[in-house]
Amino acid sequence: MQVQHYTSKDQSVSELQKEAIGLLRELIAIPSFSKEEDKTAELIKNFLLEKGIPINEKLNNVWAINKYFDPSKPSILLNSHHDTVKPNSGYTLDPFNAENK
């Protein structure tokens, strides 16, 4: 089976922006407290796989390697976490509702 790699040429910048905002809104809506990130990990994994991007995973960690990766060349790692802190009782807004202002 040949994997199709996603390229930005496939979509306009505005479409990519809309899709990224949609993913972010979905991530915000999922409670993902420390050690409970399985649902956000699954969302990230599925998002990448739907784009034809092969992923690696271990526990709730999901990562992809650039298709042009060459281990003989210098590399940069972009890393982020997707767990959140529990909201406190003083919140006046729903912390899992992404508002676009």
Side-chain angles (χ1 to χ4, degrees):
M1 176 175 125
Q2 185 175 6
V3 174
Q4 294 293 324
H5 290 281
Y6 179 79
T7 64
S8 61
K9 295 179 201 173
D10 297 333
Q11 290 181 300
S12 71
V13 172
S14 63
E15 288 172 325
L16 290 169
Q17 181 182 30
K18 184 178 178 182
E19 199 168 73
I21 290 169
L23 174 62
L24 182 57
R25 291 177 73 84
E26 286 184 71
L27 286 167
I28 290 169
I30 300 171
S32 56
F33 309 125
S34 186
K35 308 265 190 274
E36 299 174 14
E37 311 96 346
D38 56 312
K39 291 179 180 70
T40 52
E42 189 70 20
L43 178 64
I44 294 166
K45 173 182 158 180
N46 290 334
F47 179 84
L48 294 173
L49 290 174
E50 287 172 9
K51 302 292 178 209
I53 300 171
I55 59 105
N56 300 282
E57 58 184 321
K58 182 173 182 177
L59 302 175
N60 291 328
N61 300 294
V62 180
W63 68 96
I65 298 173
N66 187 295
K67 66 181 176 180
Y68 301 109
F69 174 72
D70 181 343
S72 69
K73 295 180 180 177
S75 298
I76 185 168
L77 170 68
L78 302 175
N79 182 38
S80 178
H81 61 92
H82 51 99
D83 63 330
T84 58
V85 296
K86 292 185 179 184
N88 69 40
S89 60
Y91 275 41
T92 58
L93 298 174
D94 179 357
F96 303 109
N97 179 29
E99 292 187 27
N100 189 9
K101 295 184 178 192

